[in-house]
Amino acid sequence: MDLAYYIFIIYNMSAEVFSESLAYPKMKQRAVSSRSFRTKIAPSNSQSFTPGQTINVDLPGNLSGQYYNFSQMYLKVRLTTATHPAELDRAGIVSAIKRVQISQAGSQIYDLNNYNVLYTALLDTESNAEWRGSVGNIMTGTQGNSLAGETVPAGSRTYCIPLVLNPLSNTTPHRLIPAFSMSSIQFKITLDEQASFLKYATGSAPTGVVFDEVEMVCLMTELSPQAQSMIDAQTGGVYNILCNSYMNSTANVAATVSNASVNLGFSVSSLERILMVQRVGTHLSNNAKFSIGNRIRNNLTEYSYQINSESYPQRPILVDAKSAEACAELLIAEHSLVDFRKGNNLNGGVVKASNPGQLSSFVGGDPSKHPNNYVDNAPDGDNAGITTGTAGVPTDAVASNIGTAVYGCEFETGLSDGKSSHIYSGVSTLASNVQAILKYNSSVAASQLDFFAQFSVLLSLDMKGSGVFSVSV
C-alpha cells in the first residue's frame, strides 16, 4: 500500500461529516420496472376438510420473471360448526394446524410436526396483548390478556393465517422466492383432531366441524424482461437464499422419573436455539382441556444440552419457584434480554385487583389474584388447564390455572450479535449426538416433551441445472 492510501485513511478518520438530515444529494432511487399483484390458489385435493385431514396447496412454477413474497402471504379459511359453541386454544385458528410440510419435485424443503404447539409458544413470548386483542383477534381469533382463543359459535367464521415459521418466510436477509423454478411448490397442511384445538364440555361436542373456502392468498412481484435479465446476469442463474427453519423432536417422561436424558436427533450445520415445552400426557386429546397451550413446569429443577458430551451451557440452567434464570435464558435465546419494551403473554391470565378501578393491575392488586402462569406447577389436578381467568366487577376474579412455561437455550455465538442479517454462527451438530439433560423434583406428571430446534438452511435454485430448489442444512 502506498503513502497516498494512508493519507486518505487518516483524512477520512479526522474529517467532519454531515448528519443524514443534511445529506440532500442522497435520495431514494426508483426501483426497476415491476408490478405487484395478488393471486388466490385453491387446494388441489378437495374443497372442504374435516379435523385430521390434510390440505394440499400447489404454488405454480414456470412463471417467468415472477417472485413470491412469503412475508405478505396468508391462508384464508372458513370454519363452520353446526351445533354447540366451543373455545379455540389460545393461538386461535392456528391451533388447528398440526403439521406443515413444504416440498418440490419430491424433495423436502420443510416438515414441522406440532406446528400449533410451537406457534402458541412463540405467540406467548413474542407478541403483546394489544396485537392479540386487535388484529390478531380479527385475523386468527386470539384474545388479548387471556389464555384462550375466541369462542366459536354455531355458524361460520372466516380467518386469515399469516404464513410464518417456515424457511420461505424466514429468509435472512429478506428475499423474494423465485416462482420460475421448473416445478410447483407443494404445501401440505395437516389439521389437528377436534378434541385438541377445541375445548368443550363432554356431551356437548360441536358437530359438523368443517374447514372450507380455503385459499392461499399470494402477493406476487413480476419484473420486466430487462430487470429479470439484470438479475440473471448478477446471479449467473443460481439463486442462493439463507433461511431459518424449525424441526421438532418429541419424547415422553414417566411420573416416576427424577432425571431424564433425551436423544433429540438434530443434525444441522448451524443450530441457533432449542425451545422445550412440557404438556400433561392425559391432556393432549382431552376436549375439556386447553391441551395445546397448557405448558407446565412439572417440577423441573434444571436443564441443559449435550453435543457429543459437551454441555451447553457449561452449567445447567436452574428452574426454581419463580424461574427467573430460565426466563432470562429464554430471552437470551430470543435476543431480547435488554428489550424493555417487549411484551409477552407468559403471565397473561386476566385477574381483578382489590381496587375495582385497577383491573388486571399487578401494582396495587391482590397478589393472590394475579396469575403466575409461567411457573404453574399443578399439572395433573382435575381443574388444571381449564380456567383462563376472569376480570369481573365487582366480584373478585378467578386466576388462570393454564401454564405457559417454555424453556430456551441459545447456541449462537456472540459474533452474530442477535438477529444479524449478515452472518450466522450457530453450532454444528452434523454427525453428532444431541441430548437434553433434565432433572426433576418430586411429583412429576407423565408428560410429553416437545423440543423445537431453530437452525439455518440454504435454499439453492440452479436454473442452469435441475431447475428446482435444493436444501442444505
Side-chain angles (χ1 to χ4, degrees):
M1 298 182 183
D2 56 20
L3 180 62
Y5 174 80
Y6 287 106
I7 293 175
F8 173 81
I9 293 296
I10 294 172
Y11 173 79
N12 280 276
M13 290 176 63
S14 61
E16 295 179 339
V17 297
F18 286 111
S19 163
E20 283 291 327
S21 301
L22 298 173
Y24 295 104
K26 295 182 179 180
M27 299 176 62
K28 281 187 175 181
Q29 294 180 310
R30 185 174 181 84
V32 296
S33 178
S34 62
R35 72 183 183 102
S36 292
F37 60 94
R38 280 174 172 76
T39 184
K40 296 182 177 181
I41 302 172
S44 58
N45 59 330
S46 181
Q47 297 300 313
S48 64
F49 305 86
T50 57
Q53 292 186 331
T54 299
I55 302 170
N56 294 344
V57 180
D58 299 337
L59 305 186
N62 291 299
L63 302 177
S64 179
Q66 295 187 25
Y67 296 80
Y68 294 107
N69 187 347
F70 276 84
S71 65
Q72 303 292 327
M73 293 173 62
Y74 59 90
L75 183 71
K76 179 182 174 183
V77 60
R78 184 177 72 170
L79 173 63
T80 300
T81 59
T83 60
H84 298 302
E87 290 181 277
L88 288 165
D89 213 307
R90 68 174 172 277
I93 192 62
V94 188
S95 302
I97 299 178
K98 173 71 172 176
R99 183 180 183 184
V100 177
Q101 300 165 274
I102 306 175
S103 62
Q104 186 179 48
S107 177
Q108 179 178 292
I109 296 175
Y110 171 77
D111 185 358
L112 181 63
N113 193 31
N114 293 319
Y115 178 93
N116 46 7
V117 177
L118 175 62
Y119 184 98
T120 304
L122 294 182
L123 188 72
D124 286 342
T125 61
E126 299 188 10
S127 71
N128 56 39
E130 287 75 15
W131 185 92
R132 293 188 299 273
S134 55
V135 294
N137 175 265
I138 295 169
M139 292 194 303
T140 64
T142 59
Q143 295 195 89
N145 196 23
S146 177
L147 295 178
E150 68 180 12
T151 298
V152 179
S156 299
R157 157 84 147 98
T158 297
Y159 298 91
C160 293
I161 305 170
L163 294 176
V164 296
L165 305 184
N166 69 78
L168 301 181
S169 65
N170 287 342
T171 58
T172 56
H174 178 258
R175 293 288 184 265
L176 301 179
I177 304 299
F180 44 81
S181 58
M182 304 303 292
S183 181
S184 62
I185 298 176
Q186 300 168 325
F187 276 74
K188 292 182 179 293
I189 301 170
T190 302
L191 302 173
D192 212 334
E193 297 298 331
Q194 177 174 309
S196 293
F197 68 88
L198 288 176
K199 175 182 173 290
Y200 49 88
T202 301
S204 299
T207 59
V209 178
V210 174
F211 298 81
D212 60 4
E213 297 187 3
V214 181
E215 296 175 327
M216 188 81 82
V217 182
C218 309
L219 177 66
M220 308 293 295
T221 298
E222 182 177 17
L223 302 183
S224 66
Q226 296 80 7
Q228 183 60 43
S229 296
M230 293 170 57
I231 298 295
D232 289 336
Q234 290 177 354
T235 63
V238 178
Y239 297 80
N240 292 320
I241 305 171
L242 194 67
C243 317
N244 279 334
S245 189
Y246 291 91
M247 65 173 63
N248 169 240
S249 180
T250 299
N252 294 285
V253 293
T256 57
V257 303
S258 57
N259 295 276
S261 177
V262 181
N263 291 318
L264 302 180
F266 295 147
S267 181
V268 296
S269 62
S270 181
L271 175 64
E272 298 181 4
R273 66 170 173 168
I274 294 178
L275 301 177
M276 181 191 73
V277 302
Q278 303 179 96
R279 297 179 295 151
V280 182
T282 56
H283 291 187
L284 298 185
S285 298
N286 189 333
N287 59 269
K289 309 285 187 180
F290 288 106
S291 56
I292 295 170
N294 184 30
R295 306 185 305 267
I296 60 173
R297 176 189 164 199
N298 205 17
N299 276 314
L300 180 69
T301 58
E302 63 180 55
Y303 68 96
S304 63
Y305 296 89
Q306 288 188 353
I307 301 176
N308 289 340
S309 300
E310 182 178 353
S311 294
Y312 292 84
Q314 291 185 336
R315 296 177 65 87
I317 299 169
L318 301 182
V319 184
D320 56 19
K322 284 294 185 180
S323 296
E325 182 176 337
C327 185
E329 293 293 335
L330 173 64
L331 293 178
I332 289 173
E334 293 180 351
H335 309 137
S336 61
L337 180 64
V338 294
D339 183 359
F340 297 147
R341 295 175 295 177
K342 179 180 175 62
N344 61 52
N345 201 36
L346 295 180
N347 275 352
V350 179
V351 296
K352 187 180 81 67
S354 299
N355 181 351
Q358 294 178 317
L359 295 181
S360 301
S361 173
F362 183 70
V363 179
D366 179 357
S368 68
K369 300 296 183 183
H370 192 275
N372 204 6
N373 307 91
Y374 186 59
V375 294
D376 185 5
N377 205 33
D380 51 353
D382 290 339
N383 295 320
I386 296 177
T387 305
T388 62
T390 59
V393 177
T395 60
D396 278 348
V398 177
S400 169
N401 61 7
I402 298 172
T404 62
V406 54
Y407 302 102
C409 184
E410 172 78 336
F411 289 87
E412 279 195 295
T413 71
L415 292 176
S416 63
D417 191 27
K419 297 179 180 179
S420 172
S421 62
H422 305 292
I423 62 175
Y424 60 99
S425 58
V427 174
S428 174
T429 64
L430 295 174
S432 299
N433 182 25
V434 182
Q435 292 180 305
I437 309 299
L438 313 173
K439 182 177 289 187
Y440 293 90
N441 204 334
S442 58
S443 303
V444 177
S447 303
Q448 176 174 303
L449 279 58
D450 280 290
F451 299 87
F452 296 96
Q454 179 179 337
F455 58 99
S456 295
V457 300
L458 178 66
L459 293 179
S460 184
L461 174 63
D462 185 356
M463 292 305 297
K464 294 181 179 180
S466 65
V468 297
F469 282 101
S470 61
V471 180
S472 303
V473 297

